[in-house]
Amino acid sequence: MNKITILTLFPESFEFLKTYGVIGKAISKGLLELEFVNIRDFSNDKHNHVDDTVYGGAAGMLMRPQPIYDALMTVKKPGSKVAYMSAAGSQFNQKLAIDFAEIKHLILICGHYEGIDARITNHYVDYEISIGDYVLTGGEIPAMVVIDSMARFIEGVVGKEESLVTDSHYNTLLQQDEFTKPREFNGYMVPQDLLSGDHKKIAAWNKKSAIEKTKRVRPDLYEKFLREENKNGLN
């Protein structure tokens, strides 16, 4: 079983995940455990403050190291990995989601205010993770994104695991266009090859569609795909 521990000032914001989609199913099947820890419970301040002014006169408030450290040491065990949700971190992607699904105990730290004291990130964190080049008010939403993405790759969570390998970003290309009933909608038809029953034709159409969609929607990934194809052709 995989376990994810979330250190946060707002543990109640995660409660809905226990019954949400595949995450809720994974929890009910005993494949995933979520633990929520309130950082404020570990404050040694009489008013339970967890933040203070920044040395050097920078604007805003920073989360103090002591409450985070004490909360972390309470839950961390041998083999645990710690990730801090940070706008300055490495951008989260499909590969990291797969890697995180292999970690039996992942601890996610959700910061607030202007972030957390660097002595935590520099000495007690294994990963700094961003979900994009923008700033949010806290780490809770990024943590939910990480949980939702990685949970799909925990063995037994997704009903048809072969569907994972056709996901966008699994193999550079985006997922091909897909269609359901009816065959005709507002004059637009489902491509004939998908109705043929010929598995080779369907596979060829899917590959062509994935390439065309990637070129149209994500030209950066399309260029990466071409480089990989050229490299493979030379090997």
Side-chain angles (χ1 to χ4, degrees):
M1 181 176 70
N2 290 61
K3 180 177 181 179
I4 304 174
T5 300
I6 302 100
L7 307 187
T8 172
L9 296 177
F10 302 96
E12 68 280 358
S13 65
F14 291 91
E15 284 294 329
F16 81 98
L17 291 178
K18 293 179 178 179
T19 56
Y20 174 72
V22 276
I23 298 175
K25 290 179 182 177
I27 293 171
S28 66
K29 290 180 179 179
L31 301 172
L32 176 64
E33 178 186 354
L34 296 183
E35 178 184 29
F36 313 123
V37 176
N38 193 332
I39 297 171
R40 200 176 297 279
D41 290 343
F42 294 85
S43 173
N44 60 11
D45 182 279
K46 66 179 181 180
H47 300 295
N48 289 333
H49 291 159
V50 296
D51 61 315
D52 213 323
T53 55
V54 184
Y55 280 118
M61 304 289 280
L62 202 67
M63 290 183 69
R64 296 189 292 113
Q66 173 270 317
I68 300 172
Y69 176 81
D70 287 353
L72 182 59
M73 291 303 106
T74 298
V75 299
K76 190 175 183 183
K77 297 175 176 61
S80 299
K81 295 295 182 181
V82 182
Y84 168 54
M85 303 295 102
S86 166
S90 301
Q91 190 152 317
F92 190 67
N93 55 29
Q94 193 85 320
K95 183 182 183 305
L96 272 174
I98 295 170
D99 290 345
F100 279 9
E102 297 295 322
I103 299 171
K104 290 304 179 183
H105 184 210
L106 178 65
I107 301 170
L108 303 178
I109 301 177
C110 303
H112 259 271
Y113 312 110
E114 292 299 311
I116 69 176
D117 190 291
R119 286 167 289 188
I120 296 295
T121 54
N122 291 347
H123 302 290
Y124 302 103
V125 165
D126 300 298
Y127 307 90
E128 284 193 58
I129 299 297
S130 167
I131 62 167
D133 292 336
Y134 46 85
V135 177
L136 299 174
T137 56
E140 283 73 22
I141 292 174
M144 292 176 196
V145 170
V146 169
I147 294 167
D148 188 272
S149 180
M150 64 168 282
R152 301 174 65 253
F153 292 99
I154 296 173
E155 186 176 355
V157 170
V158 174
K160 294 183 178 180
E161 294 187 7
E162 64 269 21
S163 67
L164 297 174
V165 301
T166 63
D167 282 346
S168 296
H169 306 294
Y170 190 88
N171 288 312
T172 305
L173 294 173
L174 301 181
Q175 189 174 35
Q176 73 275 1
D177 287 343
E178 293 187 306
F179 305 86
T180 187
K181 296 178 178 64
R183 291 187 179 186
E184 183 272 333
F185 177 73
N186 286 351
Y188 299 106
M189 303 296 297
V190 175
Q192 189 60 40
D193 283 350
L194 298 181
L195 308 175
S196 67
D198 186 321
H199 295 300
K200 288 185 177 179
K201 277 188 176 182
I202 292 170
W205 189 93
N206 285 341
K207 180 67 177 291
K208 181 182 178 183
S209 173
I211 293 171
E212 290 175 348
K213 183 171 184 177
T214 305
K215 183 178 181 180
R216 182 178 74 253
V217 178
R218 287 290 302 275
D220 57 323
L221 290 180
Y222 177 71
E223 292 298 324
K224 180 182 178 183
F225 166 74
L226 292 180
R227 291 194 297 271
E228 290 172 351
E229 289 289 288
N230 289 335
K231 181 179 179 181
N232 293 335
L234 294 174
N235 291 338

